[in-house]
Amino acid sequence: MNHVLEPATSLVRREVAGLPAYDPGADPGEVAALSGAARVIKLSNNESPFGASPAVAEAVRLRLAESVSRYPDPTGKRLAEAIGRSLTVPAGRVVLGNGSENILELVCQAVLGPGDLVTTQAPGFSLHEIFPRVMGARVEKVPVTAGFGFDAAAWGAALAAGPKLVFLANPCNPTGAILGVGELERVVAGTPKSALLVLDEAYREFARPDPEYPDGLAVLRGQDRPWIVLRTFSKAYGLAGLRVGFGVASDTALVEALDRVRTPYNVNQLAQDAAIAALGDHAHLAETVRRTGLEIARVADRLRDKGFRVAPSSANFLFIDTGHRADRVTRELHRTGIIVKAWREPGYENFIRASLSTPEDNDVFVRRLTEICAKGKR
Ligand SMILES: *Cc1c(COP(=O)(O)O)cnc(C)c1O
């Protein structure tokens, strides 16, 4: 997987040659072959076990034949307008991405150069580090507290160092923890006016029922500073395979800058139509959020009963201290047909991140994890 870049190595920029590879988790086909399991339980990518709204399949069916041979709308006008209406922002301040990951990348391309400083959190989302480093930027990662929370003092000091860009995920990935409104306001106030503040709300729909969880757009709306809030259709809306996310920016000049670096047809037409359909099905979203919330609470309690330390999560995944080397635990889980992600950041080598699935699959996961970790104690 991690092959050496020969013989092209001498051509590759130093920043690129030194990058860590993104870890997408184990391949389900390989895990099926390894385990002999009739059905692999994939808990590695925070996908929705409840799928997309039925309206999505219909939207895709209507557009399928045409969309294969025609380029998509390069401006994504209808989707941007639908998003604008639903959030009461002008469509001209909405930027669409081939997943919100694509917008993380566009933001780095538009804003960062060699030596620029980027501030983000650890443990964190690897692309918040990889994309800045592609541009030659330096990344400073602010650790979370011992209880997986936001460390206000450490963030204050890091922001005072004058970053050009700040990546903050709320809820955070991999911990699932949220910043409350006061904490978010401190980051906003502490981020230099000359810096771009990027608030990544990939899991916001799951956190919204929590009264402590702030609506990032509401907090940033009136701020006289550059910002962009990123959201996605991949997680709660269940469209991960179609690749569509969006950003709402502080001003149209930022959207225009992102448009300059954006590949013109970055979001295919099926994804655009599907996202409009998904956005319209409030009942499906509400049901996904409700069922996920119940499962998160239930599975976290069960794991804690078994003696595992589990970070408090307001998202659709759990960050679990297994008490053993996570790469070994993960390999053992693969042998039983379950895929989770072993965490690799320093200090978290015993942690796995497991996405929630259906109650049946989650129970199988808890049982196997408990067996594997009990065996490791002998
Ligand atoms: C999943 C995720 C995303 C975006 O995923 P896309 O599928 O590209 O929209 C962005 N940020 C974080 C923190 C995520 O976990």
Side-chain angles (χ1 to χ4, degrees), residues 45-46 98-102 104 125 128 169 171 173 200 202-203 231-235 240 243-245 317 353:
N45 297 84
N46 301 343
N98 187 24
S100 57
E101 291 169 0
N102 182 206
L104 294 172
F125 185 50
H128 291 170
N173 175 6
D200 185 341
Y203 302 95
R231 294 179 181 173
T232 182
F233 290 97
S234 296
K235 307 288 163 54
R243 313 305 301 126
V244 52
F317 51 83
R353 192 196 66 197

PDB file of all heavy atoms in Angstrom, residues 45-46 98-102 104 125 128 169 171 173 200 202-203 231-235 240 243-245 317 353, ligand 1:
ATOM      1  N   ASN A  45     -15.292   4.392   8.656  1.00  0.00           N
ATOM      2  CA  ASN A  45     -15.350   5.644   7.905  1.00  0.00           C
ATOM      3  C   ASN A  45     -16.510   6.565   8.270  1.00  0.00           C
ATOM      4  O   ASN A  45     -16.817   7.485   7.508  1.00  0.00           O
ATOM      5  CB  ASN A  45     -15.379   5.336   6.397  1.00  0.00           C
ATOM      6  CG  ASN A  45     -14.116   4.628   5.955  1.00  0.00           C
ATOM      7  OD1 ASN A  45     -14.021   3.408   6.078  1.00  0.00           O
ATOM      8  ND2 ASN A  45     -13.132   5.373   5.480  1.00  0.00           N
ATOM      9  N   ASN A  46     -17.148   6.312   9.394  1.00  0.00           N
ATOM     10  CA  ASN A  46     -18.224   7.191   9.887  1.00  0.00           C
ATOM     11  C   ASN A  46     -19.361   7.369   8.878  1.00  0.00           C
ATOM     12  O   ASN A  46     -19.981   8.424   8.788  1.00  0.00           O
ATOM     13  CB  ASN A  46     -17.661   8.557  10.307  1.00  0.00           C
ATOM     14  CG  ASN A  46     -16.611   8.410  11.391  1.00  0.00           C
ATOM     15  OD1 ASN A  46     -16.519   7.370  12.033  1.00  0.00           O
ATOM     16  ND2 ASN A  46     -15.808   9.448  11.595  1.00  0.00           N
ATOM     17  N   ASN A  98     -16.158  18.407  -3.943  1.00  0.00           N
ATOM     18  CA  ASN A  98     -16.233  16.965  -4.175  1.00  0.00           C
ATOM     19  C   ASN A  98     -15.945  16.296  -2.818  1.00  0.00           C
ATOM     20  O   ASN A  98     -14.861  15.787  -2.553  1.00  0.00           O
ATOM     21  CB  ASN A  98     -15.198  16.594  -5.235  1.00  0.00           C
ATOM     22  CG  ASN A  98     -15.299  15.148  -5.680  1.00  0.00           C
ATOM     23  OD1 ASN A  98     -16.343  14.513  -5.566  1.00  0.00           O
ATOM     24  ND2 ASN A  98     -14.211  14.620  -6.173  1.00  0.00           N
ATOM     25  N   GLY A  99     -16.954  16.385  -1.950  1.00  0.00           N
ATOM     26  CA  GLY A  99     -16.757  16.144  -0.519  1.00  0.00           C
ATOM     27  C   GLY A  99     -16.220  17.427   0.100  1.00  0.00           C
ATOM     28  O   GLY A  99     -15.623  18.256  -0.602  1.00  0.00           O
ATOM     29  N   SER A 100     -16.447  17.618   1.404  1.00  0.00           N
ATOM     30  CA  SER A 100     -15.898  18.839   2.007  1.00  0.00           C
ATOM     31  C   SER A 100     -14.378  18.754   2.102  1.00  0.00           C
ATOM     32  O   SER A 100     -13.697  19.770   2.218  1.00  0.00           O
ATOM     33  CB  SER A 100     -16.548  19.143   3.361  1.00  0.00           C
ATOM     34  OG  SER A 100     -16.400  18.077   4.251  1.00  0.00           O
ATOM     35  N   GLU A 101     -13.827  17.546   2.011  1.00  0.00           N
ATOM     36  CA  GLU A 101     -12.369  17.388   1.921  1.00  0.00           C
ATOM     37  C   GLU A 101     -11.801  18.227   0.786  1.00  0.00           C
ATOM     38  O   GLU A 101     -10.731  18.824   0.908  1.00  0.00           O
ATOM     39  CB  GLU A 101     -12.005  15.925   1.631  1.00  0.00           C
ATOM     40  CG  GLU A 101     -12.284  15.000   2.775  1.00  0.00           C
ATOM     41  CD  GLU A 101     -12.176  13.534   2.384  1.00  0.00           C
ATOM     42  OE1 GLU A 101     -11.888  13.224   1.212  1.00  0.00           O
ATOM     43  OE2 GLU A 101     -12.385  12.697   3.265  1.00  0.00           O
ATOM     44  N   ASN A 102     -12.527  18.248  -0.319  1.00  0.00           N
ATOM     45  CA  ASN A 102     -12.099  19.016  -1.485  1.00  0.00           C
ATOM     46  C   ASN A 102     -11.983  20.507  -1.129  1.00  0.00           C
ATOM     47  O   ASN A 102     -11.067  21.194  -1.590  1.00  0.00           O
ATOM     48  CB  ASN A 102     -13.121  18.779  -2.608  1.00  0.00           C
ATOM     49  CG  ASN A 102     -12.829  19.468  -3.920  1.00  0.00           C
ATOM     50  OD1 ASN A 102     -13.759  19.733  -4.681  1.00  0.00           O
ATOM     51  ND2 ASN A 102     -11.574  19.775  -4.221  1.00  0.00           N
ATOM     52  N   LEU A 104     -11.382  21.692   1.934  1.00  0.00           N
ATOM     53  CA  LEU A 104     -10.181  21.827   2.778  1.00  0.00           C
ATOM     54  C   LEU A 104      -8.961  22.046   1.879  1.00  0.00           C
ATOM     55  O   LEU A 104      -8.096  22.884   2.148  1.00  0.00           O
ATOM     56  CB  LEU A 104      -9.948  20.562   3.609  1.00  0.00           C
ATOM     57  CG  LEU A 104     -10.979  20.204   4.684  1.00  0.00           C
ATOM     58  CD1 LEU A 104     -10.682  18.814   5.250  1.00  0.00           C
ATOM     59  CD2 LEU A 104     -10.956  21.235   5.791  1.00  0.00           C
ATOM     60  N   PHE A 125      -8.164  15.372  12.554  1.00  0.00           N
ATOM     61  CA  PHE A 125      -8.464  14.823  11.230  1.00  0.00           C
ATOM     62  C   PHE A 125      -7.208  14.991  10.369  1.00  0.00           C
ATOM     63  O   PHE A 125      -6.708  16.111  10.237  1.00  0.00           O
ATOM     64  CB  PHE A 125      -9.645  15.615  10.653  1.00  0.00           C
ATOM     65  CG  PHE A 125     -10.162  15.112   9.339  1.00  0.00           C
ATOM     66  CD1 PHE A 125     -10.468  13.769   9.148  1.00  0.00           C
ATOM     67  CD2 PHE A 125     -10.382  15.998   8.287  1.00  0.00           C
ATOM     68  CE1 PHE A 125     -10.980  13.319   7.933  1.00  0.00           C
ATOM     69  CE2 PHE A 125     -10.896  15.561   7.077  1.00  0.00           C
ATOM     70  CZ  PHE A 125     -11.194  14.219   6.899  1.00  0.00           C
ATOM     71  N   HIS A 128      -6.472  17.817   7.904  1.00  0.00           N
ATOM     72  CA  HIS A 128      -6.204  19.164   8.423  1.00  0.00           C
ATOM     73  C   HIS A 128      -4.701  19.400   8.533  1.00  0.00           C
ATOM     74  O   HIS A 128      -4.259  20.535   8.692  1.00  0.00           O
ATOM     75  CB  HIS A 128      -6.863  19.357   9.797  1.00  0.00           C
ATOM     76  CG  HIS A 128      -8.364  19.414   9.740  1.00  0.00           C
ATOM     77  ND1 HIS A 128      -9.154  19.375  10.857  1.00  0.00           N
ATOM     78  CD2 HIS A 128      -9.223  19.509   8.685  1.00  0.00           C
ATOM     79  CE1 HIS A 128     -10.430  19.444  10.514  1.00  0.00           C
ATOM     80  NE2 HIS A 128     -10.502  19.522   9.196  1.00  0.00           N
ATOM     81  N   ALA A 169     -12.384  21.469  14.034  1.00  0.00           N
ATOM     82  CA  ALA A 169     -13.547  20.618  13.775  1.00  0.00           C
ATOM     83  C   ALA A 169     -14.451  20.655  15.002  1.00  0.00           C
ATOM     84  O   ALA A 169     -13.987  20.532  16.131  1.00  0.00           O
ATOM     85  CB  ALA A 169     -13.114  19.186  13.494  1.00  0.00           C
ATOM     86  N   PRO A 171     -18.397  18.966  15.854  1.00  0.00           N
ATOM     87  CA  PRO A 171     -17.653  18.097  16.761  1.00  0.00           C
ATOM     88  C   PRO A 171     -16.275  17.714  16.216  1.00  0.00           C
ATOM     89  O   PRO A 171     -16.065  17.735  15.012  1.00  0.00           O
ATOM     90  CB  PRO A 171     -18.525  16.834  16.859  1.00  0.00           C
ATOM     91  CG  PRO A 171     -19.885  17.243  16.425  1.00  0.00           C
ATOM     92  CD  PRO A 171     -19.693  18.355  15.466  1.00  0.00           C
ATOM     93  N   ASN A 173     -13.142  15.242  15.327  1.00  0.00           N
ATOM     94  CA  ASN A 173     -12.862  13.882  14.874  1.00  0.00           C
ATOM     95  C   ASN A 173     -11.395  13.650  15.221  1.00  0.00           C
ATOM     96  O   ASN A 173     -10.571  14.466  14.809  1.00  0.00           O
ATOM     97  CB  ASN A 173     -13.098  13.800  13.358  1.00  0.00           C
ATOM     98  CG  ASN A 173     -12.722  12.458  12.772  1.00  0.00           C
ATOM     99  OD1 ASN A 173     -12.381  11.533  13.480  1.00  0.00           O
ATOM    100  ND2 ASN A 173     -12.777  12.369  11.448  1.00  0.00           N
ATOM    101  N   ASP A 200     -14.885  23.228  10.659  1.00  0.00           N
ATOM    102  CA  ASP A 200     -15.284  22.001   9.959  1.00  0.00           C
ATOM    103  C   ASP A 200     -16.398  21.331  10.755  1.00  0.00           C
ATOM    104  O   ASP A 200     -16.159  20.752  11.816  1.00  0.00           O
ATOM    105  CB  ASP A 200     -14.047  21.096   9.831  1.00  0.00           C
ATOM    106  CG  ASP A 200     -14.318  19.840   9.017  1.00  0.00           C
ATOM    107  OD1 ASP A 200     -15.498  19.473   8.862  1.00  0.00           O
ATOM    108  OD2 ASP A 200     -13.342  19.232   8.548  1.00  0.00           O
ATOM    109  N   ALA A 202     -18.447  18.704   9.930  1.00  0.00           N
ATOM    110  CA  ALA A 202     -18.874  17.498   9.201  1.00  0.00           C
ATOM    111  C   ALA A 202     -19.924  16.685   9.976  1.00  0.00           C
ATOM    112  O   ALA A 202     -20.742  15.992   9.374  1.00  0.00           O
ATOM    113  CB  ALA A 202     -17.662  16.624   8.887  1.00  0.00           C
ATOM    114  N   TYR A 203     -19.883  16.770  11.305  1.00  0.00           N
ATOM    115  CA  TYR A 203     -20.792  15.953  12.136  1.00  0.00           C
ATOM    116  C   TYR A 203     -21.838  16.782  12.853  1.00  0.00           C
ATOM    117  O   TYR A 203     -22.430  16.350  13.842  1.00  0.00           O
ATOM    118  CB  TYR A 203     -19.966  15.139  13.148  1.00  0.00           C
ATOM    119  CG  TYR A 203     -18.959  14.263  12.458  1.00  0.00           C
ATOM    120  CD1 TYR A 203     -17.645  14.690  12.276  1.00  0.00           C
ATOM    121  CD2 TYR A 203     -19.340  13.038  11.913  1.00  0.00           C
ATOM    122  CE1 TYR A 203     -16.729  13.908  11.589  1.00  0.00           C
ATOM    123  CE2 TYR A 203     -18.428  12.248  11.227  1.00  0.00           C
ATOM    124  CZ  TYR A 203     -17.125  12.693  11.072  1.00  0.00           C
ATOM    125  OH  TYR A 203     -16.236  11.921  10.383  1.00  0.00           O
ATOM    126  N   ARG A 231     -19.535  22.006   5.714  1.00  0.00           N
ATOM    127  CA  ARG A 231     -20.508  20.961   6.061  1.00  0.00           C
ATOM    128  C   ARG A 231     -20.523  19.928   4.945  1.00  0.00           C
ATOM    129  O   ARG A 231     -19.976  20.161   3.874  1.00  0.00           O
ATOM    130  CB  ARG A 231     -21.889  21.581   6.292  1.00  0.00           C
ATOM    131  CG  ARG A 231     -21.865  22.485   7.517  1.00  0.00           C
ATOM    132  CD  ARG A 231     -23.195  23.138   7.793  1.00  0.00           C
ATOM    133  NE  ARG A 231     -23.097  24.011   8.973  1.00  0.00           N
ATOM    134  CZ  ARG A 231     -24.048  24.812   9.383  1.00  0.00           C
ATOM    135  NH1 ARG A 231     -25.198  24.869   8.741  1.00  0.00           N
ATOM    136  NH2 ARG A 231     -23.871  25.572  10.449  1.00  0.00           N
ATOM    137  N   THR A 232     -21.141  18.786   5.193  1.00  0.00           N
ATOM    138  CA  THR A 232     -21.065  17.722   4.197  1.00  0.00           C
ATOM    139  C   THR A 232     -22.357  16.921   4.119  1.00  0.00           C
ATOM    140  O   THR A 232     -23.121  16.872   5.093  1.00  0.00           O
ATOM    141  CB  THR A 232     -19.889  16.771   4.517  1.00  0.00           C
ATOM    142  OG1 THR A 232     -19.831  15.770   3.496  1.00  0.00           O
ATOM    143  CG2 THR A 232     -20.050  16.088   5.873  1.00  0.00           C
ATOM    144  N   PHE A 233     -22.574  16.312   2.967  1.00  0.00           N
ATOM    145  CA  PHE A 233     -23.685  15.374   2.800  1.00  0.00           C
ATOM    146  C   PHE A 233     -23.236  13.936   3.058  1.00  0.00           C
ATOM    147  O   PHE A 233     -24.029  13.003   2.926  1.00  0.00           O
ATOM    148  CB  PHE A 233     -24.286  15.507   1.391  1.00  0.00           C
ATOM    149  CG  PHE A 233     -25.032  16.797   1.200  1.00  0.00           C
ATOM    150  CD1 PHE A 233     -24.429  17.896   0.603  1.00  0.00           C
ATOM    151  CD2 PHE A 233     -26.339  16.927   1.655  1.00  0.00           C
ATOM    152  CE1 PHE A 233     -25.115  19.095   0.450  1.00  0.00           C
ATOM    153  CE2 PHE A 233     -27.031  18.118   1.510  1.00  0.00           C
ATOM    154  CZ  PHE A 233     -26.420  19.203   0.907  1.00  0.00           C
ATOM    155  N   SER A 234     -21.957  13.741   3.412  1.00  0.00           N
ATOM    156  CA  SER A 234     -21.411  12.381   3.535  1.00  0.00           C
ATOM    157  C   SER A 234     -21.837  11.655   4.796  1.00  0.00           C
ATOM    158  O   SER A 234     -21.918  10.435   4.806  1.00  0.00           O
ATOM    159  CB  SER A 234     -19.881  12.434   3.529  1.00  0.00           C
ATOM    160  OG  SER A 234     -19.405  12.920   2.310  1.00  0.00           O
ATOM    161  N   LYS A 235     -22.073  12.370   5.870  1.00  0.00           N
ATOM    162  CA  LYS A 235     -22.230  11.708   7.157  1.00  0.00           C
ATOM    163  C   LYS A 235     -23.716  11.519   7.481  1.00  0.00           C
ATOM    164  O   LYS A 235     -24.265  10.501   7.142  1.00  0.00           O
ATOM    165  CB  LYS A 235     -21.459  12.487   8.225  1.00  0.00           C
ATOM    166  CG  LYS A 235     -19.976  12.747   7.841  1.00  0.00           C
ATOM    167  CD  LYS A 235     -19.115  11.516   7.904  1.00  0.00           C
ATOM    168  CE  LYS A 235     -17.770  11.557   7.185  1.00  0.00           C
ATOM    169  NZ  LYS A 235     -16.844  12.617   7.475  1.00  0.00           N
ATOM    170  N   ALA A 240     -22.003   9.554   1.322  1.00  0.00           N
ATOM    171  CA  ALA A 240     -20.526   9.521   1.267  1.00  0.00           C
ATOM    172  C   ALA A 240     -19.998   9.108  -0.110  1.00  0.00           C
ATOM    173  O   ALA A 240     -18.985   9.622  -0.580  1.00  0.00           O
ATOM    174  CB  ALA A 240     -19.979   8.590   2.345  1.00  0.00           C
ATOM    175  N   ARG A 243     -19.850  11.994  -3.020  1.00  0.00           N
ATOM    176  CA  ARG A 243     -18.864  13.042  -2.842  1.00  0.00           C
ATOM    177  C   ARG A 243     -19.447  14.449  -3.048  1.00  0.00           C
ATOM    178  O   ARG A 243     -19.313  15.038  -4.122  1.00  0.00           O
ATOM    179  CB  ARG A 243     -17.633  12.848  -3.764  1.00  0.00           C
ATOM    180  CG  ARG A 243     -17.026  11.460  -3.811  1.00  0.00           C
ATOM    181  CD  ARG A 243     -16.634  10.906  -2.445  1.00  0.00           C
ATOM    182  NE  ARG A 243     -15.666  11.755  -1.781  1.00  0.00           N
ATOM    183  CZ  ARG A 243     -15.858  12.242  -0.539  1.00  0.00           C
ATOM    184  NH1 ARG A 243     -16.940  11.937   0.160  1.00  0.00           N
ATOM    185  NH2 ARG A 243     -14.939  13.006   0.004  1.00  0.00           N
ATOM    186  N   VAL A 244     -20.076  14.951  -2.028  1.00  0.00           N
ATOM    187  CA  VAL A 244     -20.536  16.339  -2.106  1.00  0.00           C
ATOM    188  C   VAL A 244     -20.597  16.963  -0.710  1.00  0.00           C
ATOM    189  O   VAL A 244     -21.151  16.400   0.230  1.00  0.00           O
ATOM    190  CB  VAL A 244     -21.883  16.475  -2.879  1.00  0.00           C
ATOM    191  CG1 VAL A 244     -22.956  15.534  -2.359  1.00  0.00           C
ATOM    192  CG2 VAL A 244     -22.382  17.922  -2.897  1.00  0.00           C
ATOM    193  N   GLY A 245     -19.921  18.105  -0.604  1.00  0.00           N
ATOM    194  CA  GLY A 245     -19.934  18.888   0.623  1.00  0.00           C
ATOM    195  C   GLY A 245     -19.957  20.355   0.220  1.00  0.00           C
ATOM    196  O   GLY A 245     -19.896  20.692  -0.969  1.00  0.00           O
ATOM    197  N   PHE A 317     -19.530   8.315  16.052  1.00  0.00           N
ATOM    198  CA  PHE A 317     -18.416   7.379  16.257  1.00  0.00           C
ATOM    199  C   PHE A 317     -17.932   7.499  17.693  1.00  0.00           C
ATOM    200  O   PHE A 317     -18.265   8.475  18.395  1.00  0.00           O
ATOM    201  CB  PHE A 317     -17.261   7.692  15.286  1.00  0.00           C
ATOM    202  CG  PHE A 317     -16.858   9.143  15.307  1.00  0.00           C
ATOM    203  CD1 PHE A 317     -15.990   9.637  16.273  1.00  0.00           C
ATOM    204  CD2 PHE A 317     -17.387  10.038  14.369  1.00  0.00           C
ATOM    205  CE1 PHE A 317     -15.645  10.980  16.307  1.00  0.00           C
ATOM    206  CE2 PHE A 317     -17.030  11.389  14.394  1.00  0.00           C
ATOM    207  CZ  PHE A 317     -16.161  11.863  15.375  1.00  0.00           C
ATOM    208  N   ARG A 353     -10.936   4.201  16.626  1.00  0.00           N
ATOM    209  CA  ARG A 353     -12.164   4.957  16.377  1.00  0.00           C
ATOM    210  C   ARG A 353     -13.131   4.019  15.672  1.00  0.00           C
ATOM    211  O   ARG A 353     -12.783   3.433  14.649  1.00  0.00           O
ATOM    212  CB  ARG A 353     -11.891   6.179  15.499  1.00  0.00           C
ATOM    213  CG  ARG A 353     -13.088   7.152  15.460  1.00  0.00           C
ATOM    214  CD  ARG A 353     -12.997   8.135  14.321  1.00  0.00           C
ATOM    215  NE  ARG A 353     -13.115   7.427  13.058  1.00  0.00           N
ATOM    216  CZ  ARG A 353     -12.760   7.930  11.866  1.00  0.00           C
ATOM    217  NH1 ARG A 353     -12.273   9.151  11.786  1.00  0.00           N
ATOM    218  NH2 ARG A 353     -12.896   7.228  10.767  1.00  0.00           N
TER     219      ARG A 353
HETATM  220  C1  LIG B   1     -15.685  12.975   7.107  1.00  0.00           C
HETATM  221  C2  LIG B   1     -15.061  14.297   7.389  1.00  0.00           C
HETATM  222  C3  LIG B   1     -15.038  15.330   6.440  1.00  0.00           C
HETATM  223  C4  LIG B   1     -15.590  15.326   5.083  1.00  0.00           C
HETATM  224  O1  LIG B   1     -15.844  14.327   4.359  1.00  0.00           O
HETATM  225  P1  LIG B   1     -16.359  14.500   2.869  1.00  0.00           P
HETATM  226  O2  LIG B   1     -16.878  13.145   2.586  1.00  0.00           O
HETATM  227  O3  LIG B   1     -15.180  14.864   2.043  1.00  0.00           O
HETATM  228  O4  LIG B   1     -17.390  15.569   2.848  1.00  0.00           O
HETATM  229  C5  LIG B   1     -14.485  16.542   6.783  1.00  0.00           C
HETATM  230  N1  LIG B   1     -13.978  16.751   7.981  1.00  0.00           N
HETATM  231  C6  LIG B   1     -13.976  15.809   8.917  1.00  0.00           C
HETATM  232  C7  LIG B   1     -13.410  16.119  10.250  1.00  0.00           C
HETATM  233  C8  LIG B   1     -14.501  14.543   8.644  1.00  0.00           C
HETATM  234  O5  LIG B   1     -14.449  13.593   9.570  1.00  0.00           O
END
